[in-house]
Amino acid sequence: MRKIFEWLGGFALVVFSFYFTDKVSLMVANKSDLMQEIKAVSSTYELEAEDAVIDIKDNTIVPGRFGRIVNSEESYLSMHDFGSFNENFLVFDYIKPKNSLEDNKDKFITSGNPKNRQISFIVVENEEIEKFFDESKIEYNKVLKNYSSVSTNVEIINGAATKSDFSEMHAKLKNISKLCLKEESNIELCEKQSYYLLSPSVTFTNTNLIDVKNSVRPGAIILIASGVTKENVKFILKEIDYKDLDIVHISKLIDEKGNR
């Protein structure tokens, strides 16, 4: 029994020593010039959370954006070895919006947040455009009905109609983004697996080129229908370049945290 108490006493001493050492280290850090500089500029890097925009009537949503505050202690540790302030090594704690996409996955996403200068493409059964995007290394999303391999610039939308095909893609495509498309995917299966539901506000055909051009704006998701020609897509790409928008995968476009 005595040995047990001796062991417990020793263990408690070790724990207290670590705790005391941490407290002393934190006190020293808080008085350092580096920590004072971090705290002095923290407010200039902090951002307020922005709520997602929800249309109850249409059951649609546009993602919000997480807020962020500087974690001064972690930032200090990140910069300590350099001995000086470097904004690239700031560490943030993120603040979830009151209305977040993560809590509203039953709603259809019509676009990304317009404050992010990004745009995305979805290709539906258009081999010419897929080949062009692959050769040009342009990121895009593709609706896949059955499991198959894809190029690295492609992000998959699960368009499987049956439970077996849906599950196969979900299991075999380990890095699959959990995305489904209205009119193309089995929405019931998508909701059960907590996938993001997409309903792009822009559908690109060969007869609405000017309308699509005018719809090129931050956050837009453009669905390229079957039959759209490479020449028409190149015309839209020039407009995207002119407006200085980045073409990204939808998972990045709708990420409420990553775009801050």
Side-chain angles (χ1 to χ4, degrees):
M1 182 65 71
R2 180 179 177 182
K3 289 185 177 181
I4 293 176
F5 282 113
E6 289 177 351
W7 182 87
L8 289 174
F11 178 76
L13 181 61
V14 169
V15 171
F16 177 77
S17 297
F18 277 117
Y19 175 80
F20 182 76
T21 301
D22 285 344
K23 286 294 184 182
V24 171
S25 298
L26 183 59
M27 289 176 60
V28 172
N30 282 328
K31 294 181 180 180
S32 70
D33 292 340
L34 176 57
M35 180 66 87
Q36 295 305 312
E37 186 173 4
I38 291 172
K39 290 183 176 181
V41 302
S42 287
S43 61
T44 62
Y45 294 92
E46 294 175 352
L47 299 170
E48 292 186 2
E50 299 176 13
D51 284 343
V53 178
I54 297 173
D55 188 320
I56 300 297
K57 180 180 177 181
D58 294 335
N59 195 39
T60 61
I61 186 169
V62 175
R65 300 202 292 182
F66 273 56
R68 71 182 190 189
I69 58 174
V70 173
N71 185 319
S72 56
E73 293 178 17
E74 292 297 327
S75 296
Y76 173 84
L77 294 174
S78 178
M79 299 179 200
H80 183 260
D81 289 341
F82 294 93
S84 61
F85 179 84
N86 186 325
E87 66 177 6
N88 294 320
F89 291 91
L90 284 171
V91 178
F92 298 99
D93 291 328
Y94 288 89
I95 305 168
K96 187 177 178 181
K98 181 180 178 181
N99 291 328
S100 173
L101 174 61
E102 296 304 309
D103 300 322
N104 291 278
K105 289 186 178 180
D106 60 327
K107 297 175 177 60
F108 287 90
I109 303 166
T110 56
S111 72
N113 191 299
K115 292 185 178 179
N116 301 320
R117 300 197 61 78
Q118 300 168 340
I119 195 167
S120 292
F121 287 114
I122 299 174
V123 180
V124 180
E125 297 181 358
N126 194 319
E127 293 183 4
E128 179 185 12
I129 301 307
E130 288 180 28
K131 181 179 179 182
F132 169 59
F133 280 170
D134 290 341
E135 292 174 346
S136 305
K137 301 187 184 309
I138 294 173
E139 292 186 349
Y140 68 101
N141 288 73
K142 174 181 177 178
V143 178
L144 201 64
K145 301 291 186 181
N146 305 98
Y147 170 73
S148 65
S149 60
V150 294
S151 56
T152 56
N153 60 308
V154 177
E155 181 175 65
I156 294 302
I157 293 174
N158 196 328
T162 67
K163 184 176 181 180
S164 59
D165 287 339
F166 187 98
S167 298
E168 182 180 25
M169 279 198 286
H170 183 84
K172 290 185 177 180
L173 294 171
K174 298 298 184 183
N175 296 322
I176 189 172
S177 295
K178 301 178 74 172
L179 302 170
C180 286
L181 179 63
K182 191 175 183 180
E183 310 297 344
E184 295 289 337
S185 304
N186 187 321
I187 299 302
E188 182 180 355
L189 291 174
C190 297
E191 289 185 326
K192 286 181 179 179
Q193 293 294 333
S194 194
Y195 273 49
Y196 297 103
L197 309 179
L198 306 171
S199 181
S201 56
V202 183
T203 299
F204 189 1
T205 69
N206 283 324
T207 61
N208 67 343
L209 183 60
I210 299 304
D211 288 339
V212 174
K213 176 180 178 292
N214 293 334
S215 299
V216 171
R217 58 177 65 96
I221 300 174
I222 299 177
L223 189 151
I224 302 176
S226 175
V228 175
T229 65
K230 181 168 64 175
E231 288 69 28
N232 282 344
V233 169
K234 285 183 177 180
F235 179 80
I236 297 302
L237 289 175
K238 288 181 180 178
E239 183 69 10
I240 291 172
D241 185 59
Y242 172 74
K243 292 183 176 177
D244 193 28
L245 302 177
D246 294 327
I247 302 173
V248 299
H249 288 142
I250 289 175
S251 62
K252 184 174 182 180
L253 184 78
I254 66 174
D255 185 358
E256 292 182 313
K257 182 185 294 184
N259 289 318
R260 301 273 8 210

